[in-house]
Amino acid sequence: MTAVPGAPGAPSRRSVLRAAGAGALVAAGGAVAGGCAPGAADGVGADGRVTIQMWHGQTDLAAKVVKSLVAEFERTHPDIRVDLGGGVLADSMLQKVTAALASGSYPDIAYVFGSDLASVARSPQVVDLTAHVREGGTPWRNYWAAAREAVTVNGRVRAVPALLDCLAVVCNKKVFAEAGIDLPEAGWTWDEFTDTARRLTDKGKGRFGTGWPGTGDEDTVWRLWPMVWDLGGEVIAGDGKHIGFTKAGVRALEVVQKLARDRSVYIDPKPGSEQMYQVFASGRMGMVITAPWQLPDIQQAEIDYHVVPLPSFSRRPLTISGPDTWTLFDNGEARAEAARTFVTWLIQPAQDSRWDVQAGSLPLGRRSEDRPAWREHATRTPGLTVFTEAVSSARVRPVHPAYPRVSRSLGQAIVSVLLGRASPADAVRSCADESNAALLIPR
């Protein structure tokens, strides 16, 4: 979970996930690049051309893809210019946008993490896209439910989806063969997962069954939500004042506890989970729960791998997706309309499939998935179709301003269980105390 995942040389998606736990909004930290693009204050030049500013948040290959798409858009829309100057990497976008809104000088479009959208959307300067996405130009109904839900706040569409992913399990075939264990198949359970992890573990060879991020950030947390949902729990209860996983959370953490007690889990102590993935790539880990952005690194390590959907308690398919967004800001009607035109073009299947292939996202909907470019890419990438098929069963974290606090407290709870410092029941109780207090704060 910082820009777009899966691109060689790009910051990993894992650092994107860390940002979801950020609670403080920083109003300073370097000069804020002006949101007003070159030209008149309303963005309309003497020749009638409208200039909009986009803070895309990407780096390396992903940034090149954005620049290429913008160049193509400008060729086909000569009345609109997209200025890619200013902005910061996605990890720092929340602080940058918050400071820009406070100063009154903000961009027209910014790459905002889905987990941060609820906080950003509290600003009246965020463009409401509810009516726009339901018009003919945006393939709204074709998007996966996870993509639609991730940009909807209190029933209003406050952004458009920019990136889509989900979790599955990647297995090292060689490790399984050496341990004499059959590769798992769809429909397996969490009990089977923990048993497999135990059987794969070999202390003498320094081999672990699986791994789990151990820093308490969002990378630690989002692996637990599918268990909670499968058990009937929710992140936030229906009354909005309490967490909705006091019972389900205990059962989910018992899975984590079993892994820890069996010493079958490698606990990565550093942010970013780089060490966990290095252990997997070195052949000293049998299974890793991850998203499609990790497949290029696994292929580069020449691992013969197998991808299987997440386990469940119910044997029903269920996973989690963590979509990010293109959020629009109101700098006057001319610029707002130009921004709407650009993002509507950007998320069309032809452009979306190109972005997905080159920068590491999953298709936003069936029409993108059916594009020749994506089909060819999926054929070249073993296991990728498991992720795309899993998206249909994916749920998303609630778009709620208190979510970062809930995430942080649950992250601490997970780590306490991983390290044997608390029982699942005690860990959930501590999480509930902090989270419920945060949910009572008027927002």
Side-chain angles (χ1 to χ4, degrees):
M1 99 226 146
T2 146
V4 174
S12 74
R13 174 72 170 160
R14 299 181 291 281
S15 56
V16 170
L17 288 166
R18 294 203 302 277
L25 302 184
V26 182
V32 177
C36 184
D42 61 1
V44 182
D47 58 357
R49 191 183 193 191
V50 180
T51 298
I52 57 175
Q53 188 174 60
M54 180 183 191
W55 292 355
H56 58 78
Q58 315 302 313
T59 187
D60 295 332
L61 179 59
K64 292 179 181 178
V65 179
V66 171
K67 292 174 183 177
S68 175
L69 287 166
V70 166
E72 181 178 330
F73 173 80
E74 291 180 339
R75 284 195 298 271
T76 56
H77 298 74
D79 56 339
I80 300 174
R81 176 177 176 267
V82 182
D83 175 16
L84 296 177
V88 290
L89 294 183
D91 272 351
S92 303
M93 191 65 73
L94 176 61
Q95 291 86 350
K96 178 85 172 188
V97 166
T98 301
L101 289 169
S103 70
S105 184
Y106 40 84
D108 300 283
I109 305 167
Y111 185 92
V112 174
F113 296 146
S115 52
D116 292 332
L117 179 61
S119 296
V120 173
R122 295 164 65 189
S123 169
Q125 304 307 324
V126 173
V127 176
D128 189 323
L129 297 171
T130 307
H132 178 73
V133 299
R134 295 191 171 119
E135 296 173 354
T138 304
W140 179 251
R141 294 182 180 177
N142 179 255
Y143 294 151
W144 298 116
R148 297 194 303 268
E149 293 168 9
V151 296
T152 303
V153 183
N154 296 326
R156 310 296 296 177
V157 179
R158 307 312 305 275
V160 296
L163 177 145
L164 191 65
D165 59 13
C166 69
L167 287 179
V169 180
V170 180
C171 306
N172 185 319
K173 289 184 179 181
K174 181 178 179 181
V175 172
F176 271 77
E178 288 178 350
I181 300 173
D182 292 335
L183 291 167
E185 298 179 354
W188 61 324
T189 67
W190 284 109
D191 282 342
E192 291 169 337
F193 177 87
T194 56
D195 182 63
T196 301
R198 177 184 57 79
R199 294 169 61 200
L200 287 168
T201 300
D202 188 324
K203 296 179 182 178
K205 295 180 179 179
R207 189 174 69 203
F208 295 87
T210 190
W212 202 289
T215 58
D217 57 11
E218 184 66 11
D219 202 5
T220 304
V221 169
W222 79 316
R223 288 163 167 78
L224 202 78
W225 292 132
M227 299 188 208
V228 167
W229 293 326
D230 191 34
L231 292 164
E234 296 292 339
V235 179
I236 299 173
D239 63 5
K241 298 179 181 179
H242 305 85
I243 60 171
F245 55 95
T246 50
K247 292 183 179 179
V250 173
R251 178 67 185 92
L253 282 175
E254 286 173 352
V255 173
V256 176
Q257 183 184 53
K258 189 171 191 310
L259 293 171
R261 283 181 172 174
D262 290 344
R263 299 186 182 277
S264 61
V265 58
Y266 175 82
I267 304 169
D268 194 332
K270 295 185 178 181
S273 303
E274 297 293 343
Q275 291 187 178
M276 180 179 75
Y277 288 107
Q278 288 170 6
V279 172
F280 182 80
S282 70
R284 294 187 296 112
M285 184 183 294
M287 306 180 291
V288 65
I289 299 173
T290 190
W293 35 256
Q294 194 60 34
L295 293 184
D297 288 345
I298 293 172
Q299 289 180 309
Q300 187 173 4
E302 299 182 349
I303 297 291
D304 186 14
Y305 65 92
H306 168 73
V307 182
V308 64
L310 282 184
S312 68
F313 296 103
S314 64
R315 295 190 185 275
R316 296 189 301 266
L318 178 63
T319 188
I320 183 171
S321 180
D324 293 329
T325 78
W326 297 119
T327 302
L328 278 60
F329 301 89
D330 188 357
N331 279 299
E333 183 52 35
R335 289 170 64 176
E337 179 59 29
R340 285 192 291 266
T341 298
F342 174 63
V343 297
T344 299
W345 177 88
L346 188 62
I347 59 179
Q348 293 296 316
Q351 286 73 247
D352 177 48
S353 60
R354 181 172 157 193
W355 167 259
D356 300 333
V357 170
Q358 297 182 32
S361 180
L362 291 177
L364 294 177
R366 288 287 187 193
R367 287 170 56 192
S368 297
E369 186 181 7
D370 288 340
R371 298 286 300 185
W374 175 263
R375 291 202 303 269
E376 181 182 348
H377 175 61
T379 300
R380 295 195 311 265
T381 310
L384 187 57
T385 55
V386 175
F387 288 100
T388 56
E389 291 170 3
V391 171
S392 62
S393 69
R395 292 188 57 179
V396 297
R397 299 158 291 191
V399 189
H400 192 289
Y403 178 78
R405 291 283 299 276
V406 176
S407 172
R408 184 168 66 241
S409 59
L410 180 58
Q412 293 169 350
I414 294 171
V415 172
S416 69
V417 172
L418 280 170
L419 299 179
R421 296 172 179 168
S423 69
D426 288 342
V428 170
R429 191 175 302 112
S430 296
C431 172
D433 289 343
E434 181 178 342
S435 299
N436 291 344
L439 286 166
L440 290 176
I441 299 174
R443 299 175 190 275

